Structures are given as structure tokens and as C-alpha cells.
Amino acid sequence: MENDNTVLLNPPLFALDKDAPLHYAGEICGFRVHNGPGGSGSAQFEAVVLDRSTGEGLVRSKEPLDCESQKEHSFTIQAYDCGEGPDGTNSKKSHKATVHVRVNDVNEFSPVFVERRYEASVPEGRLFDRIVRVEAVDADCSPQYSQICFYDIITPNVPFTIDNDGNIKNTEPLDSKRQRVHSFWVTAFDCGKNRAQADAQVIVTVKPSCKPGWIGWTKRIEYTPGSGSIPLFPNLHLETCEETVWNIQATVELQTGHIGKGCDRDSYSDRSVRRLCGAVRGEVELLPPPSPATNWTAAVPTLPSSDSSLVFSFNGSTHVAVVPDSVASAVSGDHFTLQLWMRRGGASTQPPANQARGSRKEEETIICSTVKNDDSYSHYSLSVHGCRLSLFYWPDVSSARPVKFLWKLEQVCDSEWHHLSLSVQFPSVTLYVDGVTFDPALIHDNGAIPNPAPHQRLVIGACWGNFTINAHLSAVMYLIGYKGLLSGVTVRPGNVEPHSVVECLYACREGLDFGDLETLGSGMKVHVNPSQSVLVLEGDDIESFNRAVQQVTYRNSLRFATPGVRPLKLTTSLRCFSEESCLSLRQLEGYLVVLQPDAPQISLSGVGPHLARPAAEFEGPQGVPLFPELRIVCSLSHAVNTAAQGMEGGALMSDAVAHTLDGCEVQPLGEELNPEREELLVDMEALKERGLDIINTTAYIAITGAESISVYEDVLRSIRYRLAKGSARFERRFRLSCSEMNGRYTSNELTLEVNFLHSLDSLYHPSHLLASQQQFLHPSHHTGELSGHTLPNPHRNSVVPGAATVIIMVCVGFLVVMVILGVFRIRSIHRRSEGGGGGKEGSNQWDDSALTIIVNPMETYENRMGIATDMEGECDDEEEVVDSPDDTSDDQRIIIKKEGRDSAPRRY
């Protein structure tokens, strides 16, 4: 027993001697203690004899025992008798007995906490199984007194409880607004009911409610066109609420399917985009805009498109475009490239009553080219069936059997716009869908299918075939047609397009991107789909993942991006060590708003408004250039400073910027051009060299194709107007306008009035004109020209007098006219004063006189208009004839022509 010298043995210590009851020899005189295995024994314990005759003894320690120092002791003990006499002669020893001593513990120590202060942080609004665990220890050696039997919270009225293991939990949801920090004291008791020497303090901090998910999400994001790349989530980070995750995957999806054909692309015509992408020329457009020259698309309805392209809608029955044989024969052969934009399900109507039964389950033919060979084999037929795209191909050999190429594609049946490019170099066929190559899933001989109808046709939206109605009657009709939308269908015979050109034709000018791959943390992965509409991030470290998400950007390389809303989605998947308690994050939805770009101002200047030249120049073999000093300037309404906004790719855009025009039109106003009398001349070689197209009709001339402003200036400056001999009139008006982005932005309308300068000899040759001309003109200038403008005369011996001479002549002419009128008035009054009826007769003679007043042909266009206005009050008829009785010569006439401001120009 601890702190007691007596050792209680079980059984008690007795030693027996067989010599008893002999005196001395049968008595036990003592015990000897020997060291045991533990080293204790003689030094620490001793044994004494209590009764020599009975051999009872007692073991006791020489010093107090301590259970905490050593719980157990082991030693051996040996008894010896008293021998033959009092001196113990010839005493004998017993065998050795082993003694095990276990020290009993006393509750001398109190519990002690491992920490004097315990802290924990928990989110509000939740009940926890354990917030923090306190721990106390007891120095006693026995389980009875060394174990902590229970803990207790000694601070009253706290929303916490503690169990016997020291786990503290809340009894009610905590509210950080009501109390942010909870502080209380706990104590501990051992099983001997000793209380801890010192109590421990517990501090619980209540954090605002933690909801796992993304923090810093902005639902609306604005993009200013011309800003380059902008970060979509600059302040976004993931909160897992201290949940341990080992894999994070986030998918960012930008929805641009409603913008044009799947995304924002160059807003030029398909032909212009092909040229910008470096495609080889020579393609044939199978679905051109309806016109008198391309009327085979007139029966197919068109739909509006945000990218200004022409979209045709096919219903699978009545909407069919039959390409003329002249066009179909130009695209035959076994080496060609077929390109088109398609979207399934764009139109839906009921099939006609005469359509074959069960045809809904058949293939829908997009394009079918049949060639009238000896065996009437179809050249090729491109069809869709469910999510499969198939190409039936018959080589240009009458004995060849048809081959079917089959692709299984999700893009065919997702009702979205997709770009298809089919390159055929038989027997090799390559398919590009949205710029990605797809190999045929199946190639097999399909010789068992019926031969196509023996008619050479190229049909869009259906295929031509024979149907047997009965044994004596057969008919030719269309097979099941395509239901959907088509645009930009072209075929280019010859060598196939290279992959780089196909990628350029499909390339989106907007999409998702990653800012800087060099800053990507270790273990992070980034994947972007070809259309750049989906970006996937994957990693295992939250901090690195948050930095990567903030590097996701949106870019739009178009200067005039298509405005509108682009829906945006963020889907997150977490994988935790404990799959049962792993977090599940909801999908975030927002939208990106592309603002309206600054409209470019296309300004046409340097022309007109009048162009006056002698008629002889217009009748020359080269005609006269209409716009020799034309200047085209494109500018923005104001500068956009994106660099000041801290955006990547930002640049200060000045007012004057380099643009690409895609069309200009010259149109005669009023009557259309008369091909027998007039024409507009264009340098066709220059147009062909620059890759521009032209539509030349009597109603207008349209030059199309994406090119720089300088190229269009050179082409328009070279346009000449030529007249046939003797076809000159007094004036002709033209209107010039240009556009870019497929007509999205247009210029001002520049109106030019062309005036033809005629010589007097070419206008009138009456004999009575000569006298008046001799009065007002020098004999060397009798061939002066009628001009509406004052123009510099490049000819040394010009018949047109200078500006000062014209003014002097006009003034002299008016003075003479006024003198003549004054003389006539005076004589008329004098006659009326002489006789009563003389005035009436004189008046009648005046009104009926053949004398005419002629306006000086050398006066300016503006003076003629002003004089006509001033004299309207005096002239009642188109021409007023005044006769002078004193004038004996009938050759002197002055004609006054009344011309109002709004009167239409005279046509000759």
C-alpha cells in the first residue's frame, strides 16, 4: 500500500520446519530477502519473524512506496531455522519463494487540462456533433484515480454542452449577428471525484453562414466592341466551407447559337469570306440571291439573318431549287469541294399527298447531282438520316458501282448551325464539320440500290427519281427532301480546299479563351472546344483553381461585333475523399451583353455636285470619268480607349480607321440607261485582278467583294460614261453609294449631275440668230458653248469666253433688251394717244407679233434660273412673242423660256 511500510501478502508469510517441536531446530529464526528480476528486494524490503514457533512472518518496506514511480515489485524470500542452539549453529535454509508486491494507488493527484485555452470557429445556423474537444489528464497510477470520469461547463447559460469525453457541441444554432464570440469555462473530475486544479477556457467564434459555392459571381457582363479580350470572372473564387476535395472540374459554356450561324463571324458575303480566307477561285454558287439571271432560287423562301447572309428554308416537299443544266455541267467531275451551312429542322410542313408511303423514314436529300450517262448513274447525292450523314457516289465510269460513305455525327441532328466541307478526290473523301476532320464510319458497295432517273439535273433540297405507278404508267418526281435551312452552298471543281482554308471559313471571331497559360498552376488542365464555346478547367488545388478561373476571358476580334445577349453558364463538379458528404454545387447562369458598336461613318466626297464637259468628250471612245477625284473616308463616331479599362488586347482606336468595303453601286436617276445611246464603262481586267465581282445592268452597276478603300477608290475613279454620236442631252444624274459588312453599314449617297456642253451650231441653225449673235459676240467667238457652269478651259483656242467676258456680255445684252422694250412702250403709248382704236390695234399687234426675246446663251445656269423666276409675272404663256413695228428684220428674235425651279429637266 502506498505510503504504508507493511506489505500484505496473499497468502500470508509462514515458514514450517519439520524438526518442530524441537527447541531451536524446529523454530524459525528469520527470513532473508534476495533481489528479484526488477532489482528490488533486499535494498527496499525486509522480512521479520512474528512467531518463531509457528513461523509466521511479515514483509515490510524499508521506505514509503510510490505507485506513480513503480507499481509492482518482485523479489525472493528464504527462511532459516534457529539451528542447534542459541547461536544458530548448523541452521538450515528453506527454498526460495517469489514475492510479487503491487502498490495500491491513492488519489493524490487532481486532473490537469492539456491546454489552458481552446478555440474554434464554426459557421452559423447549423448544429454540430462536435465543435471542439477538451482534454485533461491525471497523474495517479491506477485506473480508478487516473481516468477522467466527466467534464463540466461551469459557465452558466451558454448554448453548449460537453460529454464525458470532452466533446463540446452547440445545443442550438448559433447566430453571428446576435453574438459573434462565445467564451466559457470547463472543468474536469477524475473517478475519485477530484476536480481539476485549474479550469480551461473555451472560445467559439461564430462565422457568418458558409454556403459552399462560387463567391463573386456577376450575372451581367458587358463587352464593348473593340475591347479585345476581357476577363469574365475577375473576382470569382470557390468556397468549400473547409470541405476537403481532391478534384475540381468547372465547365464554362458560352451560348452563341442564336448569333448568325453559331457565333459572331465576318459579316461579309460568303464569296468575300472565301477570298479573305485565301480560297482558290472558281467556286460556283448553287444558292445565289434570286435575280433574273439566277431565278432558280426564287421559289425557295428566305429567312432574315443577323449576319446579313442569305438563308434558304426547305420544307422537304415543295421547296426545291433546280440548278440549270448550264451550271450543273460546270461542276461535274470526280474532284470537287462541296461546302455549305446547314441547320436541321428549320422548316416543317406536311408532305404532299402523292409522296410515297413510309418516306418519312427515308433519307432527306440535301443536294443531288445526276448526270445523263449511258447508264444514267447519279454523280453524287448528299443526304441525312437521323444523326447520320451519307454520300452516295457514282464515278464517271458507266460500269462502276455506287459507293456509300457514311458518317455518324451529333452535329447533324442537334438543330444548330454547322459548316460542312466535303472534299472528294475519288476514291478518297474527306469531311470537315466545323473545321474538324471526320473519317467515314462505313464505306461499302451499294450496287443494289436503284439507278437514278436518266435526267441530268442538279437539285438542291431533294433528288430526282423514277416512280412506277402501275404496270403501264410511271412518273418522274422528287424523292423525300431536306427539311431545314441552308446557306452558302458552293461547289468548286478541281483540287480540293486545304484544311487551313476550311478552318478559316468556319472560324468564329468570338469565343472563350484562357488569359495566360504560363500562369497556370501545377496540376491544372485547360480544354477548349474547336468553336471556343466551351472551356473546361480541371485541378486538385482550390487556390490554383481560383486563380485559373479568374484567367478565363471572352474575346471578339471583330471591330463591329454583333450586339446582343450571349447566355453564360458555369457548371462545377467536386470529388471528395468522402463521397457521401461531398459538396454539390448548383449551376450558375448569367449573360454577356455585347454593346452596340460605334457605327462607322463612310463618307464619299470629292465629286460634284455637277460635272460639265463638252458633248464631244462624252462621245469619244473612252467617254468621261464620272468620279475622277473621289475620296472615301471611314471613321468612328468617337475614340474607344480600352487600355484605360485595364483590359487585355485593349487599344486606343482613333477616329480614322482602316476599313474594308464590300460593295459600291452606281445608279442612274430617272430613266434607266439606254444601251443604244449610252453606257458605263468599267475596267474588267482591273476588277478581275483584284478579285471583285460586278453586276452591270441598265438600272445600276454593283461592284462587290471585300477589299480596301484604296482599291475601291481606284475602281470607282475609273468608271466612265460614254454616249453614242448625236445622243447628247443637256443633263444626266447618277447616284453613288458604298457599304461594308454585307450592307450592314452604308455611306452617304453622292449625287452627281452630268451636264453636256453643246455648241450653238449644234443646237439651232435658224438664219435670224446670226444678226443677234453678231451684235453680242465677237466674230471669232460665234461658236461659243452653252454652259451651266464656269469651268477652266484646257484648250488654248476655246470657243467659250472667260468669266469676265461672259458677265460683260450678259450685262450688255440685258441693257439692249431694256432699251428695245422701252422704245416699243413709248411708241405704243404715242399711237394710243393719236387714235381711240389705235391702242387696241397696237396692243393686238404687239401680242400677235412674231418678234421674240432670246436669252443670252452664254449666261450661267444660276442666272438663267433667276431670270426665269423674275419674269414669271410678265409672261402668261410658255413663250411670249412681241412684235416691233419698227424692226424691219425678222432675223432679230429674243426667246424667253419660262422654267420653274421644280420643273423636270428636259429630255432630248
Side-chain angles (χ1 to χ4, degrees):
M1 180 177 293
E2 191 175 12
N3 297 330
D4 190 351
N5 294 345
T6 304
V7 178
L8 300 179
L9 299 179
N10 184 22
L13 180 58
F14 286 92
L16 300 177
D17 195 335
K18 294 182 179 180
D19 292 335
L22 295 177
H23 188 58
Y24 295 111
E27 295 178 352
I28 301 300
C29 283
F31 297 93
R32 289 188 178 94
V33 177
H34 302 279
N35 291 334
S40 60
S42 60
Q44 195 169 3
F45 295 92
E46 63 179 359
V48 297
V49 179
L50 298 180
D51 188 349
R52 299 176 62 173
S53 59
T54 61
E56 181 183 1
L58 176 66
V59 177
R60 60 188 179 187
S61 63
K62 298 178 180 179
E63 58 187 19
L65 301 177
D66 187 4
C67 178
E68 285 72 30
S69 298
Q70 187 172 352
K71 288 184 177 182
E72 295 183 351
H73 299 269
S74 180
F75 56 90
T76 59
I77 188 172
Q78 190 176 34
Y80 59 93
D81 58 13
C82 295
E84 298 178 351
D87 56 355
T89 304
N90 296 325
S91 63
K92 295 181 179 180
K93 300 177 182 179
S94 67
H95 66 279
K96 293 180 180 180
T98 301
V99 178
H100 297 281
V101 177
R102 184 174 65 234
V103 182
N104 292 330
D105 186 27
V106 295
N107 194 11
E108 57 182 325
F109 294 102
S110 297
V112 177
F113 282 97
V114 175
E115 303 286 344
R116 294 297 305 275
R117 182 173 178 174
Y118 295 87
E119 295 184 5
S121 298
V122 293
E124 65 180 353
R126 293 173 55 187
L127 291 176
F128 297 90
D129 295 335
R130 184 179 72 178
I131 296 177
V132 66
R133 181 178 182 271
V134 298
E135 183 181 4
V137 295
D138 196 309
D140 291 320
C141 67
S142 64
Q144 179 181 1
Y145 301 120
S146 64
Q147 290 185 356
I148 306 300
C149 279
F150 63 95
Y151 296 87
D152 190 20
I153 297 177
I154 60 177
T155 302
N157 302 324
V158 292
F160 299 94
T161 184
I162 188 171
D163 59 14
N164 293 339
D165 294 327
N167 297 314
I168 299 176
K169 64 180 181 180
N170 56 328
T171 58
E172 62 183 40
L174 304 179
D175 189 354
S176 62
K177 297 180 181 179
R178 185 170 59 184
Q179 186 173 351
R180 182 67 181 273
V181 178
H182 295 266
S183 178
F184 52 93
W185 295 85
V186 296
T187 189
F189 294 88
D190 61 17
C191 294
K193 296 186 179 180
N194 274 358
R195 182 175 172 174
Q197 292 179 353
D199 300 328
Q201 185 183 17
V202 179
I203 298 177
V204 178
T205 302
V206 183
K207 297 186 300 183
S209 58
C210 177
K211 296 180 180 179
W214 292 101
I215 299 177
W217 172 262
T218 302
K219 189 172 184 179
R220 175 187 171 95
I221 304 171
E222 291 187 354
Y223 178 81
T224 302
S227 300
S229 297
I230 63 169
L232 292 177
F233 320 113
N235 302 315
L236 191 65
H237 66 278
L238 181 62
E239 175 61 55
T240 61
C241 297
E242 300 181 358
E243 182 72 29
T244 304
V245 297
W246 65 272
N247 182 267
I248 312 171
Q249 187 179 82
T251 302
V252 183
E253 181 181 358
L254 181 69
Q255 298 181 5
T256 59
H258 60 290
I259 304 297
K261 299 184 184 72
C263 63
D264 211 356
R265 293 183 172 88
D266 287 318
S267 297
Y268 297 109
S269 64
D270 292 331
R271 184 181 294 272
S272 297
V273 172
R274 287 182 54 82
R275 183 177 179 275
L276 293 175
C277 289
V280 181
R281 300 176 186 176
E283 75 279 357
V284 177
E285 194 170 358
L286 301 184
L287 287 180
S291 68
T294 58
N295 58 359
W296 67 84
T297 59
V300 183
T302 59
L303 300 178
S305 175
S306 60
D307 61 354
S308 303
S309 62
L310 198 60
V311 176
F312 292 88
S313 176
F314 293 85
N315 61 1
S317 56
T318 58
H319 299 162
V320 177
V322 181
V323 183
D325 293 345
S326 59
V327 179
S329 60
V331 295
S332 60
D334 57 357
H335 286 61
F336 63 92
T337 300
L338 171 65
Q339 295 186 355
L340 56 92
W341 286 93
M342 65 170 292
R343 192 183 82 178
R344 294 283 300 280
S348 60
T349 57
Q350 294 295 329
N354 60 352
Q355 187 167 306
R357 181 177 299 179
S359 59
R360 290 178 177 271
K361 298 181 181 180
E362 297 180 0
E363 295 179 334
E364 300 177 11
T365 303
I366 300 176
I367 180 172
C368 181
S369 175
T370 59
V371 180
K372 188 178 181 181
N373 296 328
D374 295 337
D375 297 327
S376 300
Y377 284 121
S378 176
H379 188 185
Y380 64 85
S381 175
L382 184 66
S383 305
V384 290
H385 184 199
C387 293
R388 291 177 174 84
L389 180 73
S390 61
L391 174 69
F392 284 95
Y393 187 79
W394 284 260
D396 286 334
V397 180
S398 60
S399 60
R401 298 167 65 86
V403 179
K404 181 177 183 180
F405 300 86
L406 185 65
W407 295 268
K408 186 175 182 181
L409 304 169
E410 295 181 359
Q411 293 89 337
V412 177
C413 55
D414 61 359
S415 299
E416 299 290 342
W417 278 107
H418 295 285
H419 181 263
L420 273 64
S421 178
L422 191 66
S423 298
V424 178
Q425 282 181 311
F426 192 78
S428 174
V429 176
T430 305
L431 174 67
Y432 299 95
V433 179
D434 298 338
V436 180
T437 308
F438 289 88
D439 295 326
L442 181 64
I443 304 175
H444 62 86
D445 187 351
N446 242 356
I449 65 174
N451 295 341
H455 297 281
Q456 177 173 314
R457 291 182 182 273
L458 177 56
V459 181
I460 310 295
C463 197
W464 195 261
N466 285 327
F467 286 90
T468 300
I469 300 177
N470 53 47
H472 304 285
L473 181 62
S474 63
V476 179
M477 63 180 66
Y478 292 117
L479 298 171
I480 184 67
Y482 171 71
K483 298 178 182 178
L485 305 180
L486 293 178
S487 179
V489 182
T490 61
V491 174
R492 189 180 68 83
N495 295 331
V496 299
E497 296 282 11
H499 190 195
S500 58
V501 173
V502 176
E503 288 182 336
C504 177
L505 294 175
Y506 169 74
C508 292
R509 301 301 184 224
E510 67 172 340
L512 300 174
D513 202 354
F514 193 81
D516 188 3
L517 292 175
E518 295 182 357
T519 62
L520 195 64
S522 60
M524 291 294 303
K525 299 178 182 178
V526 180
H527 174 73
V528 184
N529 69 334
S531 63
Q532 294 187 313
S533 60
V534 177
L535 184 144
V536 180
L537 286 174
E538 186 175 359
D540 52 10
D541 180 69
I542 294 181
E543 295 299 327
S544 299
F545 198 87
N546 287 335
R547 289 193 297 268
V549 168
Q550 296 173 3
Q551 291 289 326
V552 177
T553 62
Y554 168 80
R555 61 152 189 87
N556 195 318
S557 60
L558 293 179
R559 178 176 294 148
F560 307 109
T562 303
V565 176
R566 278 83 163 161
L568 195 64
K569 293 182 180 180
L570 176 60
T571 306
T572 310
S573 175
L574 302 178
R575 301 183 67 180
C576 309
F577 291 100
S578 177
E579 296 293 340
E580 296 180 355
S581 61
C582 196
L583 302 175
S584 177
L585 305 182
R586 65 181 181 88
Q587 184 184 69
L588 297 180
E589 296 184 359
Y591 53 93
L592 174 75
V593 180
V594 177
L595 302 179
Q596 185 75 31
D598 296 328
Q601 307 295 326
I602 309 174
S603 175
L604 308 181
S605 61
V607 177
H610 301 282
L611 174 67
R613 291 287 188 275
E617 294 186 15
F618 289 95
E619 296 172 354
Q622 299 297 327
V624 175
L626 294 180
F627 316 106
E629 299 179 0
L630 175 67
R631 291 186 68 249
I632 305 177
V633 177
C634 293
S635 61
L636 297 177
S637 58
H638 65 276
V640 179
N641 188 354
T642 59
Q645 304 175 7
M647 301 177 180
E648 292 188 15
L652 182 62
M653 299 179 64
S654 60
D655 284 338
V657 292
H659 285 244
T660 300
L661 301 180
D662 59 7
C664 288
E665 181 178 294
V666 180
Q667 177 184 7
L669 300 180
E671 299 177 359
E672 295 185 3
L673 295 177
N674 187 346
E676 298 179 356
R677 299 174 54 186
E678 54 187 343
E679 63 178 338
L680 290 174
L681 304 178
V682 183
D683 189 351
M684 301 302 296
E685 292 296 330
L687 290 180
K688 184 177 180 180
E689 180 181 353
R690 292 175 169 87
L692 299 177
D693 299 321
I694 184 171
I695 301 175
N696 194 348
T697 66
T698 59
Y700 64 92
I701 285 183
I703 301 174
T704 60
E707 258 300 348
S708 63
I709 290 179
S710 60
V711 170
Y712 268 94
E713 284 181 339
D714 294 340
V715 171
L716 294 175
R717 289 170 183 171
S718 66
I719 296 179
R720 295 172 174 269
Y721 179 54
R722 189 171 69 88
L723 295 173
K725 291 292 184 179
S727 301
R729 58 179 74 191
F730 278 110
E731 63 183 13
R732 165 63 100 170
R733 300 175 66 200
F734 295 93
R735 181 170 60 200
L736 171 64
S737 62
C738 295
S739 66
E740 66 173 318
M741 295 293 175
N742 208 10
R744 180 176 172 185
Y745 301 109
T746 58
S747 69
N748 61 308
E749 293 183 348
L750 191 62
T751 303
L752 175 66
E753 181 177 311
V754 179
N755 299 114
F756 310 100
L757 304 182
H758 298 271
S759 64
L760 294 179
D761 292 339
S762 64
L763 291 177
Y764 302 102
H765 298 278
S767 59
H768 58 264
L769 288 177
L770 299 177
S772 61
Q773 293 174 4
Q774 293 174 357
Q775 291 181 9
F776 302 122
L777 300 177
H778 189 274
S780 63
H781 296 93
H782 69 278
T783 58
E785 296 174 346
L786 177 63
S787 172
H789 306 275
T790 302
L791 297 172
N793 194 343
H795 305 288
R796 182 181 182 94
N797 298 322
S798 173
V799 298
V800 181
T805 305
V806 172
I807 295 175
I808 293 173
M809 294 175 62
V810 170
C811 294
V812 173
F814 272 105
L815 178 61
V816 173
V817 170
M818 296 304 295
V819 171
I820 294 173
L821 290 177
V823 172
F824 289 161
R825 291 292 184 183
I826 293 174
R827 290 187 177 184
S828 177
I829 295 173
H830 179 70
R831 289 178 180 178
R832 285 197 299 268
S833 62
E834 292 179 352
K840 186 174 182 181
E841 291 178 359
S843 178
N844 292 336
Q845 291 176 359
W846 175 272
D847 293 338
D848 297 335
S849 174
L851 181 64
T852 348
I853 299 177
I854 301 177
V855 175
N856 188 344
M858 302 309 301
E859 66 183 315
T860 62
Y861 176 79
E862 290 82 0
N863 290 336
R864 288 193 290 119
M865 296 298 295
I867 294 172
T869 304
D870 294 338
M871 301 191 68
E872 284 182 358
E874 300 180 8
C875 302
D876 297 331
D877 299 324
E878 179 80 15
E879 296 180 355
E880 183 177 3
V881 181
V882 182
D883 189 7
S884 175
D886 294 340
D887 294 336
T888 58
S889 175
D890 294 337
D891 295 336
Q892 296 182 359
R893 292 187 179 183
I894 301 177
I895 301 175
I896 300 178
K897 178 178 179 295
K898 183 176 70 174
E899 183 177 350
R901 294 186 179 181
D902 298 333
S903 61
R906 180 183 293 272
R907 304 293 182 184
Y908 293 92

